[in-house]
Amino acid sequence: MSSLFPTYARWDIAVEEAHGTTVIDRNGKEYLDFVSGIAVCNLGHCHPKVVGAVQEQLNKVWHVSNLFHIPLQEEVAQLLVENSSGDYVFFCNSGAEANEAAIKLARKYTGKKKILSFKQSFHGRTMATLSATGQEKVQLGFAPLLEGFEYLPYNDAASAMEAINEDVAAVMIEVIQGEGGVNPGEQEFIEAVAKSCNEHNVLLIIDEIQTGIGRTGKPFAYQHYSISPDIVTVAKGLGNGFPVGALIGKEKLKEAFGPGSHGSTFGGNPLAMAAAKATLTEIFNEQFLQDVEEKGIYLMNQLKEKLSKSNIVENVRGKGLMIGIACKEEVANQVTQLRQEGLLVLNAGPNVIRLLPALIISKEEIDQAVSLLEKELVK
């Protein structure tokens, strides 16, 4: 009998070890991993450079707290600001914490409490981030939620432009909704939201927890659009499996997050920073990102071709190596069957199969995965 709270509907797999794109269970069965810890292990499992950096740091110092200067924080922060629209970084331990910090910063800087987010969004499971999430199913049982949040229809530029005004502190948005179904934001919609925020002096918060750190072929997914967000939140892929999150903000926000305004005991600890520095050094490389973009196009084209005769597939959508296969029926059985066949995939909502392979995936492994998907979905 388990002593764990049953908060997860766990798969019947206990992982013994994992390397690159391969996961091996306790029975010795191997799986091709198109989950990557839910877009976390972007460099694959046990990447040697990340492992080496963490092992080296283990023999130096693990934790001192943010009462001390931690030089690695400065190095990782520099990598993040050099590859984003931001100027300053706050480190924490997870995506929910990064979004929590963004909500606090937006309210403190603007002096306003109203924050707009979008239906089918997902921003976390703390009380503030749960309140920002536009999905009733994850909010059930936790009322009363935090006041001040309003949910707008996604990809509806007119609705967003009407709602954004001087009473709003911030707009919080995923440029590709992950948990909500792998829904890419349309160019006109995302850019209209950004323009309205700028016109009304409203902060634009881009949640890059799942889409960031190279996942779409750029350092951050918002860079596919002509926008410059005030705040960007990241986690998941930032440490390639080591728990770490970050908020990246523009210079004007600096004074609102002064001493005592926010904090995290473990945020930015030396081990997390060692993992993050090694991860970013590999991923924030022009050739690496170009390869991700090319492999994403290849995967998308192969899926569209091979699944075109499926009776249940409606469309294939996404960007880079974040792809959703939208179906006309619930996909739980297909996800289970693919797992039995040795391919690990996720759902995103009841009707979407979500693919999140490591960014180091090979074309041969893409072909292998597409073949198994075709076998399951084209009958």
Side-chain angles (χ1 to χ4, degrees):
M1 182 176 177
S2 177
S3 298
L4 299 171
F5 274 110
T7 49
Y8 304 101
R10 300 181 192 270
W11 297 344
D12 189 21
I13 297 176
V15 176
E16 186 70 21
E17 59 181 298
H19 303 280
T21 59
T22 301
V23 168
I24 305 170
D25 70 15
R26 285 185 176 178
N27 300 315
K29 181 175 179 177
E30 295 190 2
Y31 302 84
L32 178 57
D33 187 5
F34 267 54
V35 174
S36 304
I38 315 181
V40 167
C41 298
N42 285 4
L43 288 174
H45 299 281
C46 295
H47 189 279
K49 290 189 177 179
V50 181
V51 171
V54 174
Q55 285 179 335
E56 182 181 351
Q57 189 61 46
L58 276 168
N59 293 316
K60 293 180 178 179
V61 57
W62 296 15
H63 177 79
V64 292
S65 90
N66 285 297
L67 295 173
F68 297 84
H69 289 284
I70 301 174
L72 273 173
Q73 285 189 5
E74 296 288 352
E75 296 177 38
V76 177
Q78 189 64 31
L79 285 167
L80 290 171
V81 301
E82 285 175 353
N83 289 277
S84 73
S85 61
D87 301 291
Y88 292 94
V89 177
F90 171 83
F91 288 111
C92 53
N93 307 289
S94 69
E97 288 182 44
N99 283 336
E100 185 90 16
I103 291 166
K104 288 181 66 176
L105 178 55
R107 287 186 167 180
K108 192 167 190 293
Y109 174 77
T110 64
K112 296 177 282 189
K113 72 175 184 179
K114 187 174 184 179
I115 294 177
L116 304 178
S117 63
F118 294 86
K119 294 176 182 177
Q120 292 305 115
S121 62
F122 184 85
H123 298 294
R125 294 184 184 274
T126 64
M127 285 306 297
T129 58
L130 190 67
S131 301
T133 293
Q135 295 191 58
E136 186 179 354
K137 68 178 183 180
V138 300
Q139 297 173 338
L140 291 174
F142 300 108
L145 300 175
L146 199 65
E147 293 181 357
F149 291 91
E150 182 180 327
Y151 318 112
L152 307 178
Y154 195 69
N155 274 331
D156 186 336
S159 172
M161 292 171 70
E162 183 179 352
I164 298 170
N165 56 47
E166 284 74 12
D167 295 328
V168 176
V171 174
M172 193 170 198
I173 186 170
E174 303 157 278
V175 295
I176 304 174
Q177 291 184 329
E179 304 298 322
V182 192
N183 301 311
E186 296 170 0
Q187 196 87 19
E188 179 185 0
F189 166 68
I190 297 295
E191 292 177 8
V193 169
K195 182 180 179 183
S196 292
C197 286
N198 188 55
E199 289 174 348
H200 295 283
N201 199 27
V202 172
L203 295 180
L204 177 60
I205 303 169
I206 303 293
D207 178 340
E208 292 265 6
I209 306 305
Q210 191 164 144
T211 54
I213 318 300
R215 174 57 51 185
T216 65
K218 291 187 181 295
F220 301 99
Y222 80 81
Q223 292 164 336
H224 293 284
Y225 304 84
S226 298
I227 64 174
S228 180
D230 300 292
I231 296 171
V232 179
T233 56
V234 293
K236 287 189 182 292
L238 180 55
N240 206 59
F242 203 99
V244 57
L247 175 152
I248 310 165
K250 286 190 171 178
E251 184 173 8
K252 65 184 180 182
L253 305 171
K254 178 183 176 183
E255 298 307 316
F257 253 17
S261 59
H262 195 51
S264 170
T265 297
F266 297 108
N269 71 76
L271 292 178
M273 293 297 94
K277 181 184 176 183
T279 299
L280 297 182
T281 301
E282 287 294 301
I283 292 177
F284 286 174
N285 173 284
E286 187 175 351
Q287 186 59 56
F288 185 96
L289 292 169
Q290 184 178 329
D291 289 345
V292 172
E293 188 171 12
E294 290 174 359
K295 286 185 285 191
I297 292 169
Y298 179 76
L299 174 56
M300 180 71 79
N301 289 340
Q302 288 295 104
L303 288 169
K304 287 182 175 180
E305 177 188 343
K306 301 297 185 183
L307 302 182
S308 61
K309 296 180 181 179
S310 172
N311 293 323
I312 67 168
V313 173
E314 288 188 323
N315 62 65
V316 182
R317 60 200 186 211
K319 195 77 173 175
L321 292 173
M322 180 179 180
I323 292 178
I325 303 169
C327 298
K328 300 173 185 176
E329 61 188 46
E330 294 190 3
V331 297
N333 290 337
Q334 287 85 356
V335 170
T336 299
Q337 184 60 38
L338 287 164
R339 191 159 64 242
Q340 292 172 354
E341 294 292 326
L343 177 64
L344 301 179
V345 298
L346 290 167
N347 65 301
N351 290 33
V352 178
I353 296 173
R354 182 172 25 158
L355 308 180
L356 298 166
L359 308 185
I360 61 166
I361 195 80
S362 68
K363 285 190 175 180
E364 291 74 18
E365 290 168 322
I366 288 174
D367 290 340
Q368 180 185 345
V370 171
S371 177
L372 289 169
L373 286 159
E374 181 183 17
K375 177 183 175 182
E376 180 58 33
L377 298 173
V378 181
K379 295 179 178 179

